[in-house]
Amino acid sequence: MKGDPRPIGVFDSGMGGLTVLRALAAQLPDEHFVYLGDTARLPYGTKSPDTVRAYALQATHLLLSEDVKMVVIACNTASAVALEALRDALAPVPVIGVIEPGARAGVAATRNKRIAVLATESTVKGAAYAQAIHQLMADAQVVQLACQVFVALAEEGWADTRATTAAVEDYLEPLFAPADAPDTLVLGCTHFPVLAAAIQRHVGAETTLVDSAETTAGAVAEALAASALHADTGGGPRTIRFFATDSPERFARIGAIFFGSAIEDGTVTLVDLKMA
Ligand code: DGL
């Protein structure tokens, strides 16, 4: 039996979700992927829940037209405010978000039950991470912090510049000053793993940084197995295709920082979601 060869769709507001695609591609070597980054409309993190939902619905419908067998919402903001709407709209195609896996990783890592979540404004406002963490650990103390400037720094490829260090200090200084500082920091935004070195330096080695990429990939593997949707390329080549709503050249150039390997020029297709 050759399994289900249809691709898995991965959606993000931009290039940050490539950190999730990277983990998926590593954990699931037999699967084909289609990635869509809504680069024309990024950031989602400062937009209203209604706008994010509308954008996410348009984007994921494009993935459906690529005959995907499952959709991964790699965008934390879209996962936080639109997951239920997307599940309803895309049924019976299964939809997996990053919030629950990220919360699970944070709960597994903490020793003092104090967890900080760094995310976009919209994710923080919706409090989806706090809810997901409290479902797993009712007595956890959760502090959420909106760090929107980190998105711009990561999009610029400024993983560890002086500006990055200054932004990390400005955001995190108040959080880590008190004696009851969190011991675990959830990077609740696709873009923040790119700044991990600068963040880790500021909070010290005793603070555990977690991001949802690995645990999301694990959740996808479980869901594939549970629904018998997994592919079997039998060791043959697998494909990863990219779509962007703006500037494919920039997507390939900056996206490589998030993806961890080169995205060849010419492999990114420009798409207009309003026309899709
Ligand atoms: N993808 C978004 C997230 O993970 C970050 C970028 C944005 O604000 O659109 O929340």
Side-chain angles (χ1 to χ4, degrees), residues 8 19-20 78 98 117 144 186 189-190:
I8 295 172
T19 56
V20 177
V98 285
V117 178
Q144 302 182 93
V186 176
C189 172
T190 48

Side-chain angles (χ1 to χ4, degrees), residues 43-168:
Y44 280 18
T46 50
K47 298 195 167 70
S48 71
D50 283 349
T51 299
V52 172
R53 263 191 294 272
Y55 286 179
L57 282 165
Q58 282 179 339
T60 47
H61 273 110
L62 178 117
L63 289 174
L64 280 195
S65 72
E66 292 296 316
D67 195 25
V68 296
K69 61 184 173 185
M70 181 177 284
V71 171
V72 179
I73 309 298
C75 178
N76 288 256
T77 305
S79 295
V81 306
L83 193 62
E84 287 317 312
L86 292 168
R87 284 193 168 137
D88 287 348
L90 305 187
V93 173
V95 179
I96 294 184
V98 285
I99 303 283
E100 206 274 331
R104 217 173 333 130
V107 166
T110 187
R111 299 168 306 279
N112 69 5
K113 299 190 175 181
R114 296 193 187 104
I115 302 173
V117 178
L118 308 187
T120 64
E121 281 174 39
S122 299
T123 301
V124 165
K125 263 191 211 144
Y129 264 108
Q131 282 164 19
I133 290 170
H134 282 135
Q135 275 187 0
L136 298 164
M137 186 181 266
D139 56 346
Q141 285 178 33
V142 183
V143 183
Q144 302 182 93
L145 195 64
C147 305
Q148 197 64 41
V149 169
F150 287 176
V151 174
L153 290 165
E155 285 281 320
E156 203 56 39
W158 286 15
D160 202 358
T161 65
R162 280 177 300 174
T164 313
T165 305
V168 167

